[in-house]
Amino acid sequence: MHPQRRGRSLYVLIAISGHTDMTKLTKQKTDLIIAGLADGHSIVDVCEGIGISRTAFYKRKKNDADFAAAVHEAQSYSVEKAMEELDNIFEDALHRRKDYDTSVLRDYAHHVRWKASKTMPDRFGDQKNRAGVEIGDGTVKILWETD
């Protein structure tokens, strides 16, 4: 058998086995999901890594409040860990302990900030909602309301 065909067959088997219902998400698999998310892996990568479909993941998350809370906690932990890592990287760059490409640092910081705003919007998301604009005698006032 041709090596590429074997790889494709294996992928097909994984894809077929991934279309199981949520009862196939055993305690061991849910622990692996939580650990993978806490390590910073995406939901896609974690699901593919343990051989379950994202549909099964999202069904379980929707129907199991404890699982949903554990997923949120793991993702929050991952964000906090990434922010600490980013702080360390910036400290190293600031004190010239390591040399980094500034565009890579900027992009990574942007990614971490985006991830934090989506995972923990109450803490890192946009806190202001635009309420309106007032135009006066040569001035422009932008009014904001906060929660």
Side-chain angles (χ1 to χ4, degrees), residues 30-77:
T30 56
D31 289 346
L32 289 172
I33 289 169
I34 300 305
L37 293 174
D39 284 341
H41 298 287
S42 70
I43 291 170
V44 172
D45 290 342
V46 169
C47 289
E48 286 178 359
I50 64 171
I52 64 163
S53 69
R54 287 181 304 193
T55 303
F57 170 86
Y58 285 113
K59 279 183 184 178
R60 176 73 175 266
K61 186 177 173 196
K62 179 181 177 184
N63 296 321
D64 184 344
D66 291 336
F67 179 68
V71 166
H72 180 72
E73 185 177 333
Q75 289 174 321
S76 297
Y77 174 78

Short mmCIF file of all heavy atoms in Angstrom, two decimals, residues 30-77:
data_model
loop_
_atom_site.label_atom_id
_atom_site.label_comp_id
_atom_site.label_asym_id
_atom_site.label_seq_id
_atom_site.Cartn_x
_atom_site.Cartn_y
_atom_site.Cartn_z
N THR A 30 -12.39 14.13 28.61
CA THR A 30 -12.69 15.49 29.06
C THR A 30 -11.52 16.06 29.85
O THR A 30 -11.21 17.24 29.73
CB THR A 30 -13.99 15.56 29.90
OG1 THR A 30 -13.89 14.66 30.99
CG2 THR A 30 -15.20 15.25 29.06
N ASP A 31 -10.83 15.22 30.61
CA ASP A 31 -9.63 15.68 31.31
C ASP A 31 -8.54 16.10 30.33
O ASP A 31 -7.85 17.10 30.54
CB ASP A 31 -9.09 14.59 32.24
CG ASP A 31 -9.97 14.36 33.46
OD1 ASP A 31 -10.85 15.21 33.72
OD2 ASP A 31 -9.79 13.32 34.13
N LEU A 32 -8.41 15.36 29.24
CA LEU A 32 -7.43 15.71 28.21
C LEU A 32 -7.81 17.02 27.52
O LEU A 32 -6.93 17.83 27.19
CB LEU A 32 -7.30 14.59 27.17
CG LEU A 32 -6.60 13.32 27.64
CD1 LEU A 32 -6.73 12.22 26.58
CD2 LEU A 32 -5.14 13.59 27.97
N ILE A 33 -9.09 17.21 27.30
CA ILE A 33 -9.56 18.47 26.69
C ILE A 33 -9.19 19.64 27.58
O ILE A 33 -8.61 20.63 27.13
CB ILE A 33 -11.09 18.44 26.46
CG1 ILE A 33 -11.44 17.47 25.33
CG2 ILE A 33 -11.62 19.83 26.14
CD1 ILE A 33 -12.93 17.18 25.20
N ILE A 34 -9.52 19.53 28.86
CA ILE A 34 -9.26 20.62 29.80
C ILE A 34 -7.76 20.89 29.90
O ILE A 34 -7.32 22.05 29.87
CB ILE A 34 -9.87 20.30 31.18
CG1 ILE A 34 -11.39 20.11 31.08
CG2 ILE A 34 -9.50 21.37 32.20
CD1 ILE A 34 -12.14 21.24 30.45
N ALA A 35 -6.96 19.84 29.98
CA ALA A 35 -5.51 20.01 30.07
C ALA A 35 -4.95 20.67 28.81
O ALA A 35 -4.09 21.56 28.88
CB ALA A 35 -4.83 18.66 30.30
N GLY A 36 -5.43 20.26 27.65
CA GLY A 36 -4.96 20.83 26.39
C GLY A 36 -5.33 22.30 26.26
O GLY A 36 -4.51 23.12 25.83
N LEU A 37 -6.54 22.66 26.66
CA LEU A 37 -6.95 24.06 26.61
C LEU A 37 -6.15 24.90 27.60
O LEU A 37 -5.77 26.03 27.30
CB LEU A 37 -8.45 24.19 26.89
CG LEU A 37 -9.38 23.60 25.83
CD1 LEU A 37 -10.83 23.64 26.29
CD2 LEU A 37 -9.20 24.30 24.49
N ALA A 38 -5.88 24.36 28.77
CA ALA A 38 -5.09 25.08 29.77
C ALA A 38 -3.66 25.30 29.28
O ALA A 38 -3.02 26.30 29.64
CB ALA A 38 -5.08 24.32 31.09
N ASP A 39 -3.17 24.39 28.45
CA ASP A 39 -1.82 24.54 27.88
C ASP A 39 -1.79 25.51 26.71
O ASP A 39 -0.74 25.77 26.14
CB ASP A 39 -1.27 23.19 27.42
CG ASP A 39 -0.80 22.34 28.58
OD1 ASP A 39 -0.56 22.89 29.66
OD2 ASP A 39 -0.66 21.11 28.40
N GLY A 40 -2.95 26.02 26.31
CA GLY A 40 -3.00 27.02 25.26
C GLY A 40 -3.35 26.50 23.88
O GLY A 40 -3.32 27.25 22.91
N HIS A 41 -3.71 25.23 23.78
CA HIS A 41 -4.08 24.67 22.49
C HIS A 41 -5.50 25.09 22.13
O HIS A 41 -6.33 25.32 23.00
CB HIS A 41 -3.96 23.14 22.50
CG HIS A 41 -2.57 22.67 22.76
ND1 HIS A 41 -1.57 22.75 21.83
CD2 HIS A 41 -2.01 22.13 23.88
CE1 HIS A 41 -0.45 22.27 22.35
NE2 HIS A 41 -0.69 21.90 23.59
N SER A 42 -5.77 25.15 20.85
CA SER A 42 -7.11 25.53 20.40
C SER A 42 -8.07 24.36 20.56
O SER A 42 -7.67 23.20 20.67
CB SER A 42 -7.06 25.95 18.93
OG SER A 42 -6.82 24.82 18.10
N ILE A 43 -9.36 24.68 20.53
CA ILE A 43 -10.39 23.65 20.60
C ILE A 43 -10.24 22.69 19.43
O ILE A 43 -10.35 21.47 19.59
CB ILE A 43 -11.79 24.29 20.64
CG1 ILE A 43 -11.99 25.02 21.97
CG2 ILE A 43 -12.88 23.24 20.42
CD1 ILE A 43 -13.22 25.89 22.03
N VAL A 44 -9.97 23.23 18.25
CA VAL A 44 -9.79 22.39 17.05
C VAL A 44 -8.66 21.40 17.27
O VAL A 44 -8.82 20.19 17.05
CB VAL A 44 -9.51 23.26 15.81
CG1 VAL A 44 -9.14 22.40 14.62
CG2 VAL A 44 -10.70 24.14 15.49
N ASP A 45 -7.50 21.88 17.72
CA ASP A 45 -6.35 21.00 17.91
C ASP A 45 -6.60 19.95 19.00
O ASP A 45 -6.23 18.79 18.85
CB ASP A 45 -5.10 21.81 18.27
CG ASP A 45 -4.58 22.62 17.10
OD1 ASP A 45 -4.95 22.33 15.95
OD2 ASP A 45 -3.80 23.57 17.34
N VAL A 46 -7.24 20.36 20.08
CA VAL A 46 -7.51 19.43 21.17
C VAL A 46 -8.47 18.34 20.70
O VAL A 46 -8.24 17.15 20.95
CB VAL A 46 -8.07 20.17 22.40
CG1 VAL A 46 -8.60 19.21 23.43
CG2 VAL A 46 -7.01 21.06 23.02
N CYS A 47 -9.54 18.73 20.02
CA CYS A 47 -10.51 17.74 19.55
C CYS A 47 -9.88 16.77 18.55
O CYS A 47 -10.09 15.56 18.64
CB CYS A 47 -11.73 18.43 18.94
SG CYS A 47 -12.77 19.26 20.16
N GLU A 48 -9.11 17.30 17.62
CA GLU A 48 -8.43 16.43 16.65
C GLU A 48 -7.43 15.52 17.35
O GLU A 48 -7.30 14.35 17.00
CB GLU A 48 -7.72 17.26 15.59
CG GLU A 48 -8.66 17.88 14.58
CD GLU A 48 -7.95 18.75 13.55
OE1 GLU A 48 -6.71 18.89 13.62
OE2 GLU A 48 -8.65 19.31 12.69
N GLY A 49 -6.75 16.04 18.35
CA GLY A 49 -5.73 15.27 19.04
C GLY A 49 -6.27 14.07 19.79
O GLY A 49 -5.61 13.04 19.88
N ILE A 50 -7.48 14.19 20.34
CA ILE A 50 -8.04 13.05 21.07
C ILE A 50 -9.08 12.28 20.26
O ILE A 50 -9.61 11.29 20.73
CB ILE A 50 -8.63 13.47 22.43
CG1 ILE A 50 -9.81 14.41 22.27
CG2 ILE A 50 -7.58 14.07 23.32
CD1 ILE A 50 -10.55 14.67 23.56
N GLY A 51 -9.35 12.76 19.05
CA GLY A 51 -10.21 12.00 18.14
C GLY A 51 -11.69 12.17 18.38
O GLY A 51 -12.44 11.20 18.26
N ILE A 52 -12.12 13.38 18.73
CA ILE A 52 -13.55 13.64 18.85
C ILE A 52 -13.91 14.78 17.91
O ILE A 52 -13.05 15.55 17.50
CB ILE A 52 -13.98 14.00 20.29
CG1 ILE A 52 -13.32 15.31 20.72
CG2 ILE A 52 -13.68 12.87 21.24
CD1 ILE A 52 -13.97 15.94 21.92
N SER A 53 -15.17 14.89 17.60
CA SER A 53 -15.60 15.98 16.72
C SER A 53 -15.82 17.24 17.56
O SER A 53 -16.12 17.18 18.76
CB SER A 53 -16.89 15.61 16.00
OG SER A 53 -17.97 15.56 16.91
N ARG A 54 -15.72 18.37 16.90
CA ARG A 54 -16.02 19.63 17.59
C ARG A 54 -17.51 19.68 17.93
O ARG A 54 -17.90 20.28 18.92
CB ARG A 54 -15.62 20.82 16.73
CG ARG A 54 -14.11 21.00 16.68
CD ARG A 54 -13.76 22.18 15.87
NE ARG A 54 -14.37 22.02 14.54
CZ ARG A 54 -14.09 22.73 13.49
NH1 ARG A 54 -13.23 23.70 13.56
NH2 ARG A 54 -14.66 22.51 12.33
N THR A 55 -18.32 19.04 17.10
CA THR A 55 -19.75 18.99 17.39
C THR A 55 -20.00 18.33 18.74
O THR A 55 -20.79 18.82 19.55
CB THR A 55 -20.50 18.22 16.28
OG1 THR A 55 -20.23 18.86 15.03
CG2 THR A 55 -21.99 18.17 16.54
N ALA A 56 -19.32 17.21 18.99
CA ALA A 56 -19.46 16.53 20.29
C ALA A 56 -18.98 17.44 21.42
O ALA A 56 -19.61 17.51 22.48
CB ALA A 56 -18.67 15.23 20.29
N PHE A 57 -17.88 18.15 21.18
CA PHE A 57 -17.35 19.07 22.19
C PHE A 57 -18.38 20.14 22.52
O PHE A 57 -18.71 20.39 23.69
CB PHE A 57 -16.05 19.72 21.69
CG PHE A 57 -15.58 20.86 22.55
CD1 PHE A 57 -14.79 20.62 23.66
CD2 PHE A 57 -15.93 22.17 22.26
CE1 PHE A 57 -14.36 21.66 24.47
CE2 PHE A 57 -15.51 23.22 23.05
CZ PHE A 57 -14.72 22.97 24.16
N TYR A 58 -18.92 20.79 21.48
CA TYR A 58 -19.86 21.89 21.71
C TYR A 58 -21.19 21.41 22.28
O TYR A 58 -21.82 22.12 23.06
CB TYR A 58 -20.05 22.72 20.44
CG TYR A 58 -18.87 23.59 20.15
CD1 TYR A 58 -18.05 23.36 19.04
CD2 TYR A 58 -18.52 24.64 20.99
CE1 TYR A 58 -16.94 24.16 18.79
CE2 TYR A 58 -17.41 25.44 20.75
CZ TYR A 58 -16.64 25.21 19.65
OH TYR A 58 -15.54 25.98 19.41
N LYS A 59 -21.63 20.21 21.90
CA LYS A 59 -22.85 19.65 22.50
C LYS A 59 -22.64 19.43 23.99
O LYS A 59 -23.50 19.77 24.80
CB LYS A 59 -23.22 18.32 21.83
CG LYS A 59 -23.94 18.45 20.54
CD LYS A 59 -24.33 17.07 20.03
CE LYS A 59 -24.97 17.14 18.66
NZ LYS A 59 -25.28 15.80 18.15
N ARG A 60 -21.49 18.86 24.32
CA ARG A 60 -21.19 18.61 25.73
C ARG A 60 -21.10 19.93 26.49
O ARG A 60 -21.63 20.06 27.60
CB ARG A 60 -19.88 17.83 25.84
CG ARG A 60 -19.39 17.60 27.25
CD ARG A 60 -20.25 16.54 27.96
NE ARG A 60 -19.73 16.23 29.26
CZ ARG A 60 -18.90 15.24 29.50
NH1 ARG A 60 -18.48 14.45 28.53
NH2 ARG A 60 -18.48 15.02 30.71
N LYS A 61 -20.46 20.91 25.90
CA LYS A 61 -20.32 22.21 26.55
C LYS A 61 -21.68 22.87 26.77
O LYS A 61 -21.94 23.47 27.81
CB LYS A 61 -19.41 23.12 25.72
CG LYS A 61 -19.08 24.43 26.38
CD LYS A 61 -18.12 25.24 25.54
CE LYS A 61 -17.96 26.62 26.14
NZ LYS A 61 -17.37 27.56 25.24
N LYS A 62 -22.56 22.74 25.78
CA LYS A 62 -23.89 23.34 25.87
C LYS A 62 -24.75 22.65 26.93
O LYS A 62 -25.52 23.30 27.63
CB LYS A 62 -24.58 23.25 24.50
CG LYS A 62 -25.97 23.82 24.48
CD LYS A 62 -26.58 23.68 23.10
CE LYS A 62 -28.02 24.18 23.09
NZ LYS A 62 -28.64 23.97 21.79
N ASN A 63 -24.63 21.34 27.05
CA ASN A 63 -25.52 20.56 27.91
C ASN A 63 -24.94 20.24 29.29
O ASN A 63 -25.65 19.68 30.12
CB ASN A 63 -25.91 19.26 27.21
CG ASN A 63 -26.72 19.52 25.96
OD1 ASN A 63 -27.57 20.40 25.93
ND2 ASN A 63 -26.45 18.76 24.91
N ASP A 64 -23.69 20.56 29.53
CA ASP A 64 -23.05 20.22 30.80
C ASP A 64 -22.41 21.48 31.38
O ASP A 64 -21.32 21.90 30.96
CB ASP A 64 -22.00 19.12 30.57
CG ASP A 64 -21.34 18.64 31.84
OD1 ASP A 64 -21.44 19.31 32.89
OD2 ASP A 64 -20.69 17.57 31.79
N ALA A 65 -23.07 22.09 32.35
CA ALA A 65 -22.59 23.36 32.92
C ALA A 65 -21.24 23.20 33.59
O ALA A 65 -20.40 24.11 33.53
CB ALA A 65 -23.62 23.90 33.91
N ASP A 66 -20.99 22.06 34.23
CA ASP A 66 -19.70 21.84 34.89
C ASP A 66 -18.58 21.78 33.85
O ASP A 66 -17.49 22.33 34.07
CB ASP A 66 -19.71 20.55 35.72
CG ASP A 66 -20.61 20.66 36.94
OD1 ASP A 66 -20.85 21.80 37.40
OD2 ASP A 66 -21.07 19.61 37.43
N PHE A 67 -18.83 21.09 32.74
CA PHE A 67 -17.84 21.01 31.67
C PHE A 67 -17.60 22.39 31.08
O PHE A 67 -16.45 22.79 30.85
CB PHE A 67 -18.31 20.03 30.59
CG PHE A 67 -17.36 19.89 29.44
CD1 PHE A 67 -16.12 19.30 29.60
CD2 PHE A 67 -17.71 20.35 28.17
CE1 PHE A 67 -15.24 19.17 28.52
CE2 PHE A 67 -16.84 20.23 27.11
CZ PHE A 67 -15.60 19.63 27.28
N ALA A 68 -18.67 23.15 30.84
CA ALA A 68 -18.53 24.50 30.29
C ALA A 68 -17.71 25.38 31.22
O ALA A 68 -16.85 26.15 30.77
CB ALA A 68 -19.91 25.12 30.04
N ALA A 69 -17.95 25.27 32.52
CA ALA A 69 -17.18 26.06 33.49
C ALA A 69 -15.71 25.64 33.50
O ALA A 69 -14.81 26.49 33.58
CB ALA A 69 -17.78 25.89 34.89
N ALA A 70 -15.46 24.34 33.39
CA ALA A 70 -14.07 23.85 33.36
C ALA A 70 -13.35 24.32 32.10
O ALA A 70 -12.17 24.68 32.15
CB ALA A 70 -14.05 22.33 33.46
N VAL A 71 -14.06 24.33 30.96
CA VAL A 71 -13.48 24.83 29.71
C VAL A 71 -13.13 26.30 29.85
O VAL A 71 -12.02 26.72 29.50
CB VAL A 71 -14.45 24.60 28.52
CG1 VAL A 71 -14.03 25.40 27.30
CG2 VAL A 71 -14.53 23.12 28.18
N HIS A 72 -14.06 27.09 30.40
CA HIS A 72 -13.81 28.52 30.58
C HIS A 72 -12.62 28.76 31.53
O HIS A 72 -11.77 29.60 31.26
CB HIS A 72 -15.05 29.22 31.11
CG HIS A 72 -14.85 30.69 31.32
ND1 HIS A 72 -14.75 31.57 30.26
CD2 HIS A 72 -14.70 31.42 32.44
CE1 HIS A 72 -14.55 32.79 30.73
NE2 HIS A 72 -14.51 32.72 32.05
N GLU A 73 -12.57 28.01 32.60
CA GLU A 73 -11.46 28.15 33.56
C GLU A 73 -10.13 27.78 32.90
O GLU A 73 -9.13 28.47 33.10
CB GLU A 73 -11.72 27.26 34.77
CG GLU A 73 -10.68 27.43 35.86
CD GLU A 73 -10.99 26.59 37.09
OE1 GLU A 73 -12.18 26.29 37.35
OE2 GLU A 73 -10.03 26.24 37.79
N ALA A 74 -10.11 26.72 32.11
CA ALA A 74 -8.88 26.31 31.43
C ALA A 74 -8.43 27.37 30.42
O ALA A 74 -7.24 27.69 30.34
CB ALA A 74 -9.08 24.96 30.74
N GLN A 75 -9.38 27.91 29.67
CA GLN A 75 -9.03 28.95 28.70
C GLN A 75 -8.57 30.22 29.40
O GLN A 75 -7.64 30.89 28.94
CB GLN A 75 -10.21 29.24 27.78
CG GLN A 75 -10.49 28.11 26.81
CD GLN A 75 -11.75 28.32 25.99
OE1 GLN A 75 -12.76 28.82 26.49
NE2 GLN A 75 -11.70 27.94 24.73
N SER A 76 -9.18 30.56 30.52
CA SER A 76 -8.75 31.73 31.29
C SER A 76 -7.35 31.54 31.83
O SER A 76 -6.52 32.46 31.80
CB SER A 76 -9.73 32.00 32.44
OG SER A 76 -11.00 32.31 31.95
N TYR A 77 -7.07 30.34 32.32
CA TYR A 77 -5.72 30.03 32.81
C TYR A 77 -4.70 30.18 31.68
O TYR A 77 -3.63 30.75 31.87
CB TYR A 77 -5.68 28.61 33.38
CG TYR A 77 -4.31 28.17 33.77
CD1 TYR A 77 -3.73 28.60 34.97
CD2 TYR A 77 -3.56 27.33 32.95
CE1 TYR A 77 -2.45 28.21 35.32
CE2 TYR A 77 -2.28 26.94 33.30
CZ TYR A 77 -1.74 27.37 34.49
OH TYR A 77 -0.47 26.98 34.83
#
